[in-house]
């Protein structure tokens, strides 16, 4: 069962559009968001990155959380990240599906 991480109420607002776009412009963070979106549910942190170390991944997760794009959960004792799809769609309608579709298309090429 998914539980919000201690100190994370799940009510952090999505940041302003320039902050969200800045968070998504980094290729590592964009790949993390792409993987989360394609999974459709919370994903273990380690499954969201490949060629970076854990401390660098932690930094990228922090940027995405501060932008309101993801939230941290604990699922069966494992740290996970969840894409805040509904909140993002309310704050910036259509942005997430467009960005993920473009990232998926780029991944296939």
């Amino acid at each position: 069962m998914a539980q919000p991480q201690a100190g994370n109420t799940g009510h952090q607002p999505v940041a302003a559009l320039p902050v969200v776009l800045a968070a998504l412009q980094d290729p590592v963070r964009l790949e993390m968001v792409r993987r989360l979106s394609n999974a459709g549910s919370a994903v273990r942190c380690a499954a969201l990155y490949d060629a970076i170390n854990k401390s660098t991944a932690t930094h990228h997760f922090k940027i995405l959380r501060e932008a309101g794009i993801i939230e941290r959960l604990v699922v069966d004792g494992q740290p996970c990240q969840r894409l805040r799809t509904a909140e993002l769609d309310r704050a910036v309608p259509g942005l997430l599906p467009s960005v993920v579709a473009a990232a998926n298309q780029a991944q296939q090429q």
Side-chain angles (χ1 to χ4, degrees), residues 22-107:
L24 292 172
Q25 66 84 32
D26 182 89
V28 172
R29 292 191 293 266
L30 180 58
E31 177 61 14
M32 291 173 166
V33 168
R34 188 187 75 79
R35 290 180 184 190
L36 279 167
S37 179
N38 290 343
S41 62
V43 176
R44 288 187 50 227
C45 294
L48 296 173
Y49 58 91
D50 295 321
I52 59 174
N53 62 38
K54 186 177 177 180
S55 63
T56 302
T58 299
H59 167 74
H60 287 297
F61 291 141
K62 178 183 175 192
I63 299 296
L64 291 169
R65 271 195 319 274
E66 288 176 350
I69 297 170
I70 64 172
E71 70 177 341
R72 186 179 193 158
L73 305 170
V74 175
V75 178
D76 297 328
Q78 297 292 318
C80 297
Q81 302 292 334
R82 180 187 75 84
L83 195 58
R84 298 179 66 212
T85 307
E87 296 91 336
L88 278 164
D89 199 46
R90 279 193 301 274
V92 283
L95 177 68
L96 189 61
S98 296
V99 168
V100 170
N104 282 334
Q105 185 175 9
Q107 184 73 15

